Amino acid sequence: MRSPLPKIVITCAITGNLTKPEQTPHLPITPQQIAASALAAAEAGAAVVHIHVRDPRTGRPSMELELYREVLDLIRGSNPELIINLTTGPGGRFVPSQEDPRVAGPGTTLLAPERRVEHIAALKPDICTLDLNTMNSGGEVVINTPGNVRRMAKVIAGAGVRPEIELFDSGDIALLADLLADGTLQGPPLTSLIMGVRYGFQPSPETVVYARNLLPPDAAFTAIGIGRSAFQMVAQSYLAGGHVRVGLEDAIYLDRGVLAPSNAAMVEKARRIVEDLGGKVADPREARAILGLPAWPANTNRVA
């Protein structure tokens, strides 16, 4: 049994890969908007910001190194203690063509593993995600083979970056155990349990406890709710002994039928939930110690 943590870390996922500008006018698109939204989320109580970037012209997801660099520079210039977590998720989707399922069709984004982490090697953020899921996602398939995960993990370790392991179902946790056993990953692991993606973990108190109990005893975790379960999972994750995450990557509504006006508003609500349940929220300096990250300003010159 785990009790709620003495202090919890709030992560804000700023813009993501799948939320569309057509769904909400409040989605940050440009590097300036993403950085400003991240800084406002920090003011509201987030100690970690999880970053994807977008093509400023189209609003579509991007993996351009210079867009990541600009976002990091803008955030670091205003709030150097804020913990930055960059995605490595894009580049893993396969859509079979209708004529020949062996051939990639429109919407396929598959990239070589090293290409998916080149921005991590160049920019050396505090944290980056490492997805272990191979699963159906809508009409597409997300592919993260054990071999490719190991190749990505090698680059991440070489950059001195802390991986956050994203887990979408129980089989992913079995793979995590193998990666820890063979030394690909070092413990104690930092993990996220993604709840609410169709064909993965479904959000409920029972699922959170089940998934948590499969983790190594020393693992830190966050149960993340996607869509309508976003704020429910804030409470469930806290009560189960985890940290919390919200943001426009994960959900676009602040309440039933009410679009979230900003990432900061979502963080404010998550903070209220935690504090109303008796919890305390860590600031970035405290979060660095909790997550095993270097204290600032030890790595002020990390961005190349």
Side-chain angles (χ1 to χ4, degrees):
M1 178 177 178
R2 295 198 196 189
S3 299
L5 296 167
K7 285 210 170 178
I8 65 98
V9 176
I10 297 179
T11 295
C12 185
I14 302 299
T15 191
N17 192 44
L18 298 179
T19 307
K20 295 179 174 60
E22 300 91 320
Q23 294 175 286
T24 172
H26 307 300
L27 187 70
I29 299 296
T30 69
Q32 295 81 5
Q33 291 169 345
I34 292 169
S37 189
L39 292 167
E43 288 291 324
V48 181
V49 287
H50 175 59
I51 303 294
H52 291 241
V53 293
R54 303 263 178 159
D55 183 327
R57 297 164 299 174
T58 66
R60 306 273 67 105
S62 174
M63 287 289 285
E64 287 300 317
L65 173 60
E66 291 310 310
L67 294 175
Y68 280 110
R69 190 189 305 275
E70 186 174 357
V71 172
L72 262 68
D73 286 347
L74 288 167
I75 294 173
R76 292 286 189 236
S78 294
N79 187 345
E81 280 196 330
L82 183 59
I83 298 167
I84 295 179
N85 175 336
L86 297 187
T87 185
T88 67
R93 289 180 178 268
F94 179 77
V95 183
S97 69
Q98 294 186 3
E99 296 78 16
D100 185 349
R102 297 173 298 177
V103 176
T108 296
T109 64
L110 289 180
L111 295 172
E114 290 76 14
R115 172 71 176 86
R116 292 175 63 185
V117 290
E118 67 178 8
H119 60 303
I120 305 303
L123 301 177
K124 299 179 174 60
D126 302 291
I127 300 172
C128 72
T129 56
L130 182 61
D131 298 354
L132 300 195
N133 61 318
T134 293
M135 64 184 291
N136 291 316
S137 179
E140 306 167 357
V141 177
V142 176
I143 299 176
N144 290 294
T145 64
N148 284 354
V149 168
R150 287 184 170 92
R151 287 165 64 181
M152 293 172 68
K154 182 177 180 180
V155 175
I156 293 166
V161 175
R162 180 99 152 95
E164 178 191 14
I165 311 304
E166 294 207 340
L167 305 162
F168 291 74
D169 211 340
S170 57
D172 301 347
I173 302 179
L175 177 55
L176 169 62
D178 286 350
L179 297 174
L180 290 167
D182 69 15
T184 298
L185 298 174
Q186 303 300 313
L190 176 63
T191 68
S192 292
L193 307 170
I194 315 300
M195 305 276 170
V197 174
R198 187 175 292 180
Y199 313 129
F201 281 133
Q202 293 307 297
S204 71
E206 293 84 359
T207 307
V208 173
V209 172
Y210 165 71
R212 181 203 65 186
N213 289 346
L214 294 176
L215 294 171
D218 61 351
F221 76 93
T222 302
I224 299 169
I226 303 302
R228 68 184 64 184
S229 67
F231 291 107
Q232 296 170 8
M233 286 301 106
V234 168
Q236 294 296 338
S237 188
Y238 168 72
L239 292 171
H243 301 290
V244 304
R245 180 176 117 168
V246 291
L248 289 170
E249 172 174 352
D250 302 334
I252 61 172
Y253 289 100
L254 194 64
D255 207 340
R256 186 184 297 270
V258 179
L259 286 173
S262 65
N263 279 298
M266 301 185 85
V267 172
E268 288 169 358
K269 181 171 180 176
R271 181 170 192 157
R272 287 197 304 273
I273 291 169
V274 169
E275 291 178 341
D276 284 350
L277 290 171
K280 295 184 181 299
V281 172
D283 64 28
R285 186 180 298 271
E286 293 167 327
R288 287 181 176 277
I290 292 167
L291 300 178
L293 298 171
W296 203 266
N299 51 359
T300 48
N301 296 318
R302 294 183 70 181
V303 176

